[in-house]
Amino acid sequence: MESKTPQVRSVAPRAGVDYPRNYAEFKAWFPDDAACLDYLDWIRWPHGFVCPDCGGSTAWRMKCGRWWCKGCSTRISGTAGTIFHRTRTPLTVWFAAAWHFTFAKNGVSAMTLHRILGFGSYPTAWAMLHRFRCAISHAGARHAVRTCRSG
């Protein structure tokens, strides 16, 4: 386990400050899955880590990317309870898909996303877009990024 104290950042993301303004900045901000996971942690816990089980605030980041709560010894993933939970697709691909989904003037089709990002199958692109659209339709929930189920 890596001992690491969670960083406290600003309360809410602000356009042009807390997320990239263009694709070049996007690639610099999110070069790997660890950077994406760090960003998800910041969105989830803007004032620092809080254990969902015991409410404790002391935790360590494990090598696998999950948090280990000192208070109750629970392992918590930054993706738990989000559209990214238990996905086999790398977070960098998810983030790139989100970028294209949100910055395309007229939206993006699953076929276009499949072609741009070059993943293995069209159904993967379709499922990603379905999860994004479901999350947006449930934006009034506590977190805009919630688990969406197909079917």
Side-chain angles (χ1 to χ4, degrees):
M1 282 188 277
E2 296 177 14
S3 178
K4 194 174 192 180
T5 305
Q7 294 180 353
V8 177
R9 299 189 204 175
S10 64
V11 175
R14 294 168 297 174
V17 176
D18 295 317
Y19 57 87
R21 287 176 247 193
N22 56 47
Y23 197 65
E25 279 186 18
F26 170 82
K27 295 295 275 181
W29 280 40
F30 305 113
D32 54 24
D33 280 356
C36 296
L37 194 55
D38 182 50
Y39 191 76
L40 286 177
D41 288 344
W42 170 59
I43 295 293
R44 185 174 190 168
W45 300 298
H47 301 292
F49 175 84
V50 177
C51 178
D53 291 342
C54 73
S57 61
T58 304
W60 289 270
R61 172 79 67 140
M62 299 177 356
K63 288 182 182 179
C64 64
R66 290 185 287 176
W67 290 95
W68 184 80
C69 177
K70 181 180 178 185
C72 64
S73 300
T74 300
R75 293 178 301 205
I76 301 104
S77 170
T79 62
T82 71
I83 62 173
F84 311 115
H85 187 61
R86 293 193 177 158
T87 182
R88 291 179 296 191
T89 305
L91 286 175
T92 51
V93 174
W94 274 100
F95 275 46
W99 177 269
H100 290 292
F101 177 73
T102 56
F103 280 88
K105 186 175 182 179
N106 297 317
V108 66
S109 69
M111 185 57 77
T112 301
L113 197 61
H114 168 66
R115 191 175 59 250
I116 291 171
L117 298 178
F119 17 82
S121 69
Y122 169 82
T124 301
W126 185 91
M128 288 176 115
L129 289 176
H130 174 74
R131 286 188 183 191
F132 286 133
R133 289 178 179 128
C134 182
I136 289 170
S137 71
H138 294 92
R142 184 169 167 254
H143 294 289
V145 185
R146 289 283 183 191
T147 301
C148 296
R149 299 183 195 277
S150 298

